[in-house]
Amino acid sequence: AVSAETTAATAAATADVEAITEEQLMNQEKDELEDEEEDEEEEGEETNTGKEGGDKGQGKGADGGDENKDTPHYKLMVLLEQELPECNRREQVDEIAEKFCVNHGSSKNSRKRLSKTLFMVPRTRLDLLPYYSRMAAIIDRIYPDVIAPLAIELEQQFHGQAKFKKNVNPEGRMKTARYLGELTKFRVAPPIVALRCIRRCLDDFSGVNIDVACCILESCGRYLYRTKHTVAKVTTLMETMMRIAKAKHLDDRSQALINSAFYMVKPPPAAPRKQAKVYPPLEAYLRHLLLVKLQPEESSISMVSKQLLKFPWNDPSQQCGTLICRIMLKACRRGRYKAIAAVASVAAIVRRSKSEVAVRLVDACLEEIQWALEHPSFRDQQRTVTYVRLLGELYAASLITAQIIIDQLYRFINFGHEIPQALHEVSAKFSSTEMSTMSEEKQEAPVFNSASGVSQAIQEDEEMEDANLLETKEEPQMPKMVAVSKYSRYDPRVPTPIDSPNSVFRVKLVCTLLEVSAKTLVTRNNLPTLEGFAASFQRYLFTKVTLPAEVEFALLDTFDILDSQWRKITSKDIKKDGSDTGGDHGFTRYDTWIDAHNATVAKEEEDALAEQRSRARLELMAGYGKADGDVPLEGDLVVDDDVLGEMEEDEESDESGGDSESDDDMDDDAGEHMTADSVNHDMEVEDDFSEEDDSEDETDDEMDDEDFSEEEEIDEDAYMKQLEEEAFERELRRMTMDSLEKGKNLARASAGGKVADYMPSGSQFIRKKPISDVKVEEQENLAIGGKVGVSFQLLKKGNKGKVEAKELIVPKETNLAKLASKQDDEAAREHDVIKARVLQHEAE
């Protein structure tokens, strides 16, 4: 069947070619006759002009070349041989076609020359074929007799080349096939020409014919397939080509060419398009605001913020806070990197009336960063950098505190490097062993004559040869082991799979966060904390094998930003203090790992001790601590730091200046007692009566106690002392609370009212003092329980409204006694200072 179809197609092609050749011969004869007549006329004109010129032409030999450039023949030559081969744009081809039609289209010789130029395309200039075809299509609309022979000549050339051996002149055949395809697309050559060429290649589908057939299909196959009256024929030819290819078992290259040409003509059915997700109107509008409209500009930020505040916040079903937070994160991930600051600004503005958005945004950002640290992946690195940048912008917008940023910086370099307990135990043993060996080495160490380690002086006559120098070279020593500190919780030397020594992703995160927040993070209060982090970060950097160039440059830029801000803060402090050392006031940069490690360990030790002291204070305040001396607090009182410092200063001054104590006990009692100026004579009388009643009660108790045995008396006294102490503590706390409530009520009633600066409080805190410090002379005023106390006057109203005063002796270790004595001491010191100034003024 294939052979029958091939013979029929060949017979039809030969018949068409014979008919075309006869017509072409007749046309060529007519054209030759017309050309001869035109040539004779031109020669006659030239001879006449030559005779008329005579001798004048001999004197103008130099100007002859310039006159020839203005002739139509020269212009046509320039147009076809220089401008047309250099065209590479459609506009340029249209311009050349317009020039030809206007200036040279009327001449038949010019049209013939154009036809020859379009036919004689260099075989290596396949890029000119589309432009030449466009030129032919333009000229064909005006002069059909010029372009019609072009398609015929190309078809004849194609069939003529096919008669030779298959592998002869493959470039020429490819050029002719592609040229025919381009002319077919421009409707200059009829479609049947391309179909006949494909059929001719299928008759012997091997070698170069495969390339030629694929070239035709690639150039005009899609056009023929999309044309109604040729789709059936093209489909039949392609099916035939695929059957032949399967039957012949062609090589991979040929099979790839055939498949490419086939699918270029008839592409496989496309997969169904994924339908765009339809969002609810509110979410769609929110996406439009945050993903499209939001720009890093004040006007855009203000507009988006106002629109967000108009959302239905009162409707719980809409969940506006959750929706806005989710779209904000998506805007940071998929939007523009510069829009992250705009998102943080919008969150700061919305927070003024709707704080839910800012809280959700910060929480989601921290959760995403923590998840990225726990599950490191190269795919999610840019996403994590975006969230870190957002965290820095949130801090710049005052949505989070500096402590969160510092904690996050420490988490970047410490997460996963926790020191196990076994390593702490081994390090403790290693440290103890190292200390013992160091002590032994110090005892057995040789004594050198100089600091360089030379044991004897070198004489001038001695010479050292090169061989001896090579032999005396010291071998490189192994790095010395450094144990971990007992106060350290993290160490970058601890291996972890989530942060290998060649991973620098966390360095990028630290640089990104510091780059955004350094300008506002480096303050006078944060300098000690940042100094500790700088040491830890440099220690972390020393554990990395190598740093890529981009990470190294980013790190240097971050250090420059941090250092410049650091210098600004320190320079301001120096100007205030008035002292300038002239040194470098930036943060410390360490040259070796051991220097950074020592600085980090020193900071960790300081923080650990401070934390232990604060924890011990809290335990004693809560009543869980031991006040008998089991917990060493280094003599600190478990009170606020300010009060503690003042009380310690007073105690030191009292201990150092023993001469300031007066010998008169009445003066001490007067300085320690708190009296009221408004107490009158009646109150003193009533006080005497109360004292007499107390003395009578004491005598009665003594009479009753004599009836019991000595053993029962000791037990009862201890029990009564305990009860009395508990009762005293309850009454004192109740009195303190009543005074506090009274002060609050007065403050509410009057704008100028306020609670007293010195509010007495119960003996909740205990100071560890040796018993030997208590002097015997001060034991005249004994409080309940037999302790040394301070006498106070307790004012109260009786049944009839009279003010009564009762003496109350409070132990000296309570805050009430200490604050009272401190007040009196300050007043006495102030009185002495004023008295000294007055005496000095009178003396002058």
Side-chain angles (χ1 to χ4, degrees), residues 317-335:
S317 61
Q318 297 293 338
Q319 297 181 354
C320 295
T322 305
L323 183 62
I324 291 175
C325 176
R326 180 164 58 85
I327 304 301
M328 279 184 172
L329 293 177
K330 185 169 289 187
C332 295
R333 293 195 308 266
R334 300 186 179 180

Side-chain angles (χ1 to χ4, degrees), residues 365 531 684 764:
C365 187
E531 188 173 2
E684 294 177 357
Q764 302 174 6

Side-chain angles (χ1 to χ4, degrees), residues 212-235:
V212 173
C214 293
C215 182
I216 297 174
L217 288 176
E218 289 176 357
S219 59
C220 65
R222 183 67 177 168
Y223 168 76
L224 297 175
Y225 184 77
R226 299 289 293 176
T227 305
K228 292 182 179 180
H229 61 277
T230 56
V231 59
K233 295 182 180 180
V234 171
T235 305

